[in-house]
Amino acid sequence: MQNSSEESRGMKLLKKGQKGLVSVIFSRTLLIILSLVLQVFILFMFFHWFQNLLPHFWGGSLLFSTAMVIYLINTEINPTAKLTWMVIIMLLPVFGCLLFFYTQSEIGHRAVRGRVEQLITQTGGILPQNENIREELKAEAPECAQLSTYINRNGCQPVYKNTEVKFFSLGEDMWQELLTQLEKAESFIFLEYFIVDEGLMWGTVLEILARKVKEGVDVRLLYDGTCEFTTLPHDYPERLKKLGIKCRMFAPVMPMISTHYNYRDHRKIAVIDGKVAFNGGVNLADEYINRINKYGHWKDTAVMLKGEAVSSFTLMFLQMWNITEKNPGFEKYLNLSESVNSHGFVQPFGDCPLDGDKVGERVYMDILNTASNYVYIMTPYLILDGELETALKFAAERGVKVRLILPGKSDKAAAYALAKTHYRSLMKSGIEIYEYTPGFVHAKMFLCDDIEAVVGTINLDYRSLYHHFECATWMYDTDCIEDIEKDFELTLEKCRRVTPDTIWQGSKVLKPVGYLLKAVAPLM
């Protein structure tokens, strides 16, 4: 609990009642919601008209559905998603078909995809791979070297040595270190977060940012546009700009239906002077530091990097920031960090939902497929496609100890119910599942054989693996892996082990809800 002096700390730009759903009826958000509802109604009536019209043409509805099923079978869509779409189209032929083509049409994000591809092409060689480091990793761990090569296939996410990694087992510990590092900033501060909310955590950060701007530091904040619905008003970037802080919303909500809204910026990145970077599950809101209690104790993790690998996070931020910028100018912000004499290999990586390359899922699957002794996992959500579920089960079935730590209290009832639909199948293969009794686990973490780990933003659900911009830090034989292993064991002591008899904990609602939602899980 914070003391009374901390309660008055921090800058606030909003008056009481000016944020979140409370402000909806007083802002443009209500007009946007009404506009979107109206458009959905018009689309539904359009689909309904076709639905009533088509059966008059020689049983066209049945032929239409059959043709669509054949088409789906021959697409490159994930098999689990194919099954979902088949169910929808068989039940609602015309509506389901038109909805499918609408979601696949890329309406609203075609331009963004083109710009992202252009930026990746432009920066492909800007962070070249040190071939000596690649060869060292290959000699020490050939299978990990292959994974590293895959991560860097687009040419801008190399593997590094000379990087120190510090692990934080709680959001409040990461926050205190972030404040310390922000105070040291001399050149620039780049922040990219999924959620920003006014309170003690963001207020203390904002206070430092406003002061640093006056000292001549280039301060930039990029946050996801969904904050407009929950935590911040639409004009918040303008309020920050009055303080001298450059601010942008990624995909702000507009009064137009678009598939672009399906792709969110779920990354959490902080870069100071190109010398220090933070990454992990921690957003800039008070629940992440247990200042407020939403779902019991909030368990999160993060890492801080010092050394050469910081450049990769700087580049990731600039790629997102410059989606709307014509003259990016990347070079002056890169390769600013001094080499740090440290142990092991570090490879920050990003995952873009627009390129068809599921980097996050493939990194996780590679760890499962190459593990020898154990794989320990923390994740807030467990909504698996067939490939990832098979990888988890196969690892356990070939003798690898697979342990999953999930929340004991949920933040989303639907996601919690869906996660439980996987429990029985996973446990049959020998996977141990634990639930964190003090509250909610938000950490996204893989640990393998005391030597390999991933800490980042990537959940085990369709949102993270297929639809979000994500990032993470892959590590091999770094000093902090021992701390990660200790944290997992300590967290395990606060968990209850799930058995086949305790999956649903006597709930009469969760079980049917979970099995019903599983039919449409890929669309959630």
Side-chain angles (χ1 to χ4, degrees), residues 47 344 347:
F47 296 155
Q347 190 164 15

Side-chain angles (χ1 to χ4, degrees), residues 188-438:
F188 64 85
I189 297 171
F190 295 160
L191 303 174
E192 180 180 350
Y193 284 88
F194 182 54
I195 293 173
V196 178
D197 190 10
E198 289 214 329
L200 179 65
M201 186 182 191
W202 171 237
T204 50
V205 170
L206 181 57
E207 191 175 67
I208 296 172
L209 299 183
R211 183 160 24 91
K212 286 296 174 180
V213 167
K214 294 178 181 178
E215 296 174 9
V217 176
D218 179 4
V219 180
R220 305 185 193 185
L221 171 66
L222 176 65
Y223 66 88
D224 191 73
T226 52
C227 287
E228 188 178 349
F229 275 129
T230 55
T231 61
L232 300 175
H234 182 73
D235 68 343
Y236 201 73
E238 298 303 319
R239 301 182 189 217
L240 291 176
K241 288 174 185 176
K242 291 179 181 178
L243 299 176
I245 297 170
K246 301 170 186 175
C247 181
R248 291 178 183 170
M249 274 193 286
F250 177 81
V253 181
M254 303 295 288
M256 180 181 69
I257 294 177
S258 172
T259 56
H260 183 45
Y261 300 139
N262 203 34
Y263 300 94
R264 309 312 315 175
D265 184 1
H266 193 243
R267 297 177 178 181
K268 292 96 179 167
I269 297 173
V271 181
I272 298 99
D273 291 346
K275 298 177 180 179
V276 177
F278 291 83
N279 177 225
V282 184
N283 281 298
L284 299 176
D286 281 359
E287 60 266 34
Y288 295 86
I289 59 171
N290 287 292
R291 173 64 183 173
I292 59 176
N293 186 321
K294 282 191 171 183
Y295 314 105
H297 183 264
W298 192 286
K299 166 63 179 171
D300 223 322
T301 59
V303 289
M304 179 179 70
L305 282 62
K306 289 184 177 180
E308 294 179 4
V310 172
S311 286
S312 284
F313 280 118
T314 307
L315 180 58
M316 281 185 231
F317 173 87
L318 289 172
Q319 285 173 333
M320 292 296 288
W321 180 267
N322 287 298
I323 285 176
T324 57
E325 191 79 20
K326 293 183 178 179
N327 300 301
F330 293 101
E331 289 84 353
K332 65 179 180 180
Y333 299 103
L334 302 175
N335 301 312
L336 299 176
S337 183
E338 298 177 356
S339 297
V340 177
N341 186 16
S342 60
H343 196 254
F345 301 83
V346 181
Q347 190 164 15
F349 66 92
D351 193 356
C352 171
L354 304 178
D355 60 9
D357 196 3
K358 310 305 177 190
V359 179
E361 182 174 46
R362 289 176 179 174
V363 168
Y364 286 162
M365 288 174 65
D366 185 85
I367 292 172
L368 289 164
N369 290 333
T370 58
S372 298
N373 300 314
Y374 74 81
V375 177
Y376 294 164
I377 302 167
M378 284 193 202
T379 181
Y381 311 115
L382 191 72
I383 307 175
L384 305 172
D385 63 14
E387 295 169 280
L388 189 51
E389 183 166 4
T390 297
L392 284 161
K393 293 166 68 174
F394 179 59
E397 288 166 1
R398 62 185 179 83
V400 176
K401 181 182 288 186
V402 181
R403 287 176 167 173
L404 284 164
I405 291 181
L406 294 133
K409 298 179 182 178
S410 71
D411 67 330
K412 300 179 180 69
Y416 190 55
L418 271 169
K420 288 179 175 290
T421 65
H422 295 285
Y423 282 13
R424 189 174 298 275
S425 175
L426 295 176
M427 286 189 288
K428 281 183 179 179
S429 293
I431 295 173
E432 299 176 16
I433 298 176
Y434 298 85
E435 292 183 340
Y436 183 64
T437 53

Side-chain angles (χ1 to χ4, degrees), residues 9-51:
R9 287 176 60 198
M11 180 180 293
K12 293 185 178 181
L13 302 183
L14 303 179
K15 297 178 181 178
K16 188 175 180 180
Q18 268 194 307
K19 66 178 184 176
L21 295 176
V22 176
S23 68
V24 167
I25 59 175
F26 303 108
S27 72
R28 69 186 284 279
T29 308
L30 178 61
L31 296 177
I32 291 176
I33 292 173
L34 291 175
S35 175
L36 292 173
V37 169
L38 178 61
Q39 291 174 69
V40 169
F41 176 75
I42 292 171
L43 283 173
F44 179 80
M45 294 305 297
F46 178 74
F47 296 155
H48 183 68
W49 179 72
F50 269 98
Q51 183 81 27

